[in-house]
Short mmCIF file of all heavy atoms in Angstrom, two decimals:
data_model
loop_
_atom_site.label_atom_id
_atom_site.label_comp_id
_atom_site.label_asym_id
_atom_site.label_seq_id
_atom_site.Cartn_x
_atom_site.Cartn_y
_atom_site.Cartn_z
N SER X 221 -3.73 15.74 -4.36
CA SER X 221 -2.29 16.02 -4.36
C SER X 221 -1.57 15.07 -5.31
O SER X 221 -1.97 13.91 -5.46
CB SER X 221 -1.76 15.83 -2.93
OG SER X 221 -0.36 15.74 -2.93
N ALA X 222 -0.50 15.58 -5.95
CA ALA X 222 0.34 14.74 -6.82
C ALA X 222 1.77 15.21 -6.71
O ALA X 222 2.04 16.26 -6.11
CB ALA X 222 -0.14 14.82 -8.26
N TYR X 223 2.68 14.46 -7.31
CA TYR X 223 4.09 14.87 -7.26
C TYR X 223 4.37 15.94 -8.30
O TYR X 223 4.78 17.05 -7.97
CB TYR X 223 4.99 13.64 -7.47
CG TYR X 223 6.44 14.03 -7.41
CD1 TYR X 223 7.03 14.38 -6.20
CD2 TYR X 223 7.22 14.07 -8.57
CE1 TYR X 223 8.36 14.77 -6.14
CE2 TYR X 223 8.55 14.47 -8.51
CZ TYR X 223 9.11 14.82 -7.29
OH TYR X 223 10.42 15.21 -7.23
N SER X 224 4.10 15.65 -9.58
CA SER X 224 4.45 16.62 -10.63
C SER X 224 3.50 16.65 -11.81
O SER X 224 3.67 17.45 -12.71
CB SER X 224 5.87 16.34 -11.13
OG SER X 224 5.89 15.08 -11.75
N LYS X 225 2.51 15.77 -11.85
CA LYS X 225 1.65 15.67 -13.04
C LYS X 225 0.54 16.73 -13.00
O LYS X 225 -0.60 16.46 -12.59
CB LYS X 225 1.07 14.27 -13.15
CG LYS X 225 2.15 13.22 -13.38
CD LYS X 225 1.64 12.05 -14.18
CE LYS X 225 2.76 11.08 -14.52
NZ LYS X 225 2.78 9.86 -13.73
N VAL X 226 0.89 17.92 -13.45
CA VAL X 226 -0.02 19.07 -13.35
C VAL X 226 -1.27 18.88 -14.21
O VAL X 226 -2.39 19.07 -13.74
CB VAL X 226 0.72 20.37 -13.75
CG1 VAL X 226 -0.24 21.54 -13.82
CG2 VAL X 226 1.85 20.65 -12.78
N SER X 227 -1.09 18.49 -15.49
CA SER X 227 -2.27 18.43 -16.35
C SER X 227 -3.23 17.32 -15.89
O SER X 227 -4.44 17.47 -15.93
CB SER X 227 -1.90 18.29 -17.82
OG SER X 227 -1.05 17.20 -17.97
N GLU X 228 -2.65 16.20 -15.39
CA GLU X 228 -3.50 15.11 -14.89
C GLU X 228 -4.28 15.58 -13.64
O GLU X 228 -5.47 15.28 -13.48
CB GLU X 228 -2.67 13.88 -14.51
CG GLU X 228 -2.19 13.06 -15.68
CD GLU X 228 -0.88 13.57 -16.29
OE1 GLU X 228 -0.50 14.73 -15.99
OE2 GLU X 228 -0.27 12.83 -17.06
N LEU X 229 -3.59 16.33 -12.77
CA LEU X 229 -4.26 16.80 -11.55
C LEU X 229 -5.36 17.80 -11.91
O LEU X 229 -6.46 17.77 -11.34
CB LEU X 229 -3.24 17.45 -10.60
CG LEU X 229 -3.73 17.58 -9.17
CD1 LEU X 229 -3.79 16.21 -8.47
CD2 LEU X 229 -2.82 18.50 -8.34
N SER X 230 -5.06 18.63 -12.88
CA SER X 230 -6.04 19.62 -13.33
C SER X 230 -7.28 18.91 -13.91
O SER X 230 -8.42 19.31 -13.66
CB SER X 230 -5.37 20.52 -14.37
OG SER X 230 -6.29 21.44 -14.88
N ALA X 231 -7.02 17.84 -14.68
CA ALA X 231 -8.15 17.08 -15.28
C ALA X 231 -9.01 16.45 -14.18
O ALA X 231 -10.25 16.42 -14.29
CB ALA X 231 -7.61 16.01 -16.22
N ILE X 232 -8.37 15.98 -13.10
CA ILE X 232 -9.14 15.39 -12.00
C ILE X 232 -10.00 16.46 -11.32
O ILE X 232 -11.19 16.25 -11.04
CB ILE X 232 -8.19 14.71 -10.97
CG1 ILE X 232 -7.51 13.51 -11.61
CG2 ILE X 232 -8.95 14.29 -9.72
CD1 ILE X 232 -6.36 12.93 -10.78
N ALA X 233 -9.39 17.64 -11.09
CA ALA X 233 -10.14 18.75 -10.46
C ALA X 233 -11.34 19.13 -11.33
O ALA X 233 -12.44 19.35 -10.82
CB ALA X 233 -9.22 19.94 -10.26
N ASP X 234 -11.11 19.14 -12.64
CA ASP X 234 -12.17 19.46 -13.60
C ASP X 234 -13.31 18.45 -13.53
O ASP X 234 -14.50 18.80 -13.50
CB ASP X 234 -11.57 19.40 -15.01
CG ASP X 234 -11.69 20.74 -15.71
OD1 ASP X 234 -12.33 21.64 -15.16
OD2 ASP X 234 -11.11 20.85 -16.82
N LYS X 235 -12.91 17.17 -13.52
CA LYS X 235 -13.89 16.08 -13.50
C LYS X 235 -14.76 16.16 -12.23
O LYS X 235 -15.98 16.00 -12.30
CB LYS X 235 -13.11 14.75 -13.52
CG LYS X 235 -13.85 13.60 -14.09
CD LYS X 235 -12.94 12.54 -14.72
CE LYS X 235 -12.38 11.52 -13.83
NZ LYS X 235 -11.74 10.38 -14.42
N LEU X 236 -14.11 16.43 -11.11
CA LEU X 236 -14.85 16.52 -9.84
C LEU X 236 -15.80 17.72 -9.87
O LEU X 236 -16.95 17.64 -9.43
CB LEU X 236 -13.89 16.62 -8.66
CG LEU X 236 -13.16 15.32 -8.30
CD1 LEU X 236 -11.97 15.59 -7.38
CD2 LEU X 236 -14.11 14.32 -7.64
N SER X 237 -15.30 18.81 -10.43
CA SER X 237 -16.11 20.03 -10.51
C SER X 237 -17.34 19.80 -11.40
O SER X 237 -18.47 20.18 -11.03
CB SER X 237 -15.23 21.12 -11.10
OG SER X 237 -15.62 22.34 -10.64
N ALA X 238 -17.12 19.14 -12.54
CA ALA X 238 -18.22 18.86 -13.47
C ALA X 238 -19.28 17.98 -12.83
O ALA X 238 -20.47 18.04 -13.19
CB ALA X 238 -17.67 18.21 -14.74
N ALA X 239 -18.86 17.15 -11.87
CA ALA X 239 -19.81 16.26 -11.18
C ALA X 239 -20.44 16.96 -9.98
O ALA X 239 -21.09 16.31 -9.14
CB ALA X 239 -19.08 15.00 -10.74
N GLY X 240 -20.20 18.27 -9.84
CA GLY X 240 -20.77 19.02 -8.72
C GLY X 240 -20.02 18.80 -7.43
O GLY X 240 -20.57 18.97 -6.33
N LYS X 241 -18.76 18.38 -7.54
CA LYS X 241 -17.95 18.10 -6.35
C LYS X 241 -16.65 18.88 -6.41
O LYS X 241 -15.56 18.28 -6.48
CB LYS X 241 -17.60 16.60 -6.29
CG LYS X 241 -18.78 15.67 -6.37
CD LYS X 241 -18.72 14.66 -5.25
CE LYS X 241 -20.08 14.43 -4.67
NZ LYS X 241 -20.21 14.66 -3.29
N PRO X 242 -16.69 20.20 -6.40
CA PRO X 242 -15.44 20.95 -6.53
C PRO X 242 -14.51 20.73 -5.33
O PRO X 242 -14.99 20.63 -4.19
CB PRO X 242 -15.91 22.41 -6.59
CG PRO X 242 -17.25 22.41 -5.95
CD PRO X 242 -17.86 21.06 -6.21
N ILE X 243 -13.22 20.66 -5.60
CA ILE X 243 -12.23 20.51 -4.51
C ILE X 243 -12.05 21.87 -3.82
O ILE X 243 -12.35 22.91 -4.40
CB ILE X 243 -10.86 20.02 -5.05
CG1 ILE X 243 -10.34 20.94 -6.17
CG2 ILE X 243 -10.95 18.59 -5.51
CD1 ILE X 243 -8.88 20.77 -6.48
N SER X 244 -11.54 21.82 -2.60
CA SER X 244 -11.23 23.06 -1.88
C SER X 244 -9.79 23.49 -2.11
O SER X 244 -9.47 24.67 -2.08
CB SER X 244 -11.42 22.87 -0.38
OG SER X 244 -12.72 22.45 -0.12
N ALA X 245 -8.89 22.51 -2.28
CA ALA X 245 -7.47 22.83 -2.43
C ALA X 245 -6.77 21.73 -3.19
O ALA X 245 -7.30 20.61 -3.32
CB ALA X 245 -6.83 22.99 -1.05
N CYS X 246 -5.59 22.05 -3.72
CA CYS X 246 -4.79 21.04 -4.42
C CYS X 246 -3.32 21.27 -4.11
O CYS X 246 -2.92 22.34 -3.66
CB CYS X 246 -5.05 21.09 -5.92
SG CYS X 246 -4.69 22.68 -6.62
N HIS X 247 -2.54 20.22 -4.36
CA HIS X 247 -1.12 20.29 -3.99
C HIS X 247 -0.27 19.58 -5.04
O HIS X 247 -0.62 18.50 -5.50
CB HIS X 247 -0.93 19.60 -2.63
CG HIS X 247 0.50 19.40 -2.26
ND1 HIS X 247 1.10 18.16 -2.19
CD2 HIS X 247 1.46 20.30 -1.94
CE1 HIS X 247 2.36 18.30 -1.83
NE2 HIS X 247 2.61 19.59 -1.68
#
Side-chain angles (χ1 to χ4, degrees):
S221 164
Y223 181 71
S224 64
K225 295 210 174 105
V226 173
S227 54
E228 283 86 345
L229 197 72
S230 177
I232 293 169
D234 240 353
K235 206 152 86 168
L236 286 165
S237 209
K241 306 230 139 237
I243 55 164
S244 303
C246 58
H247 170 248

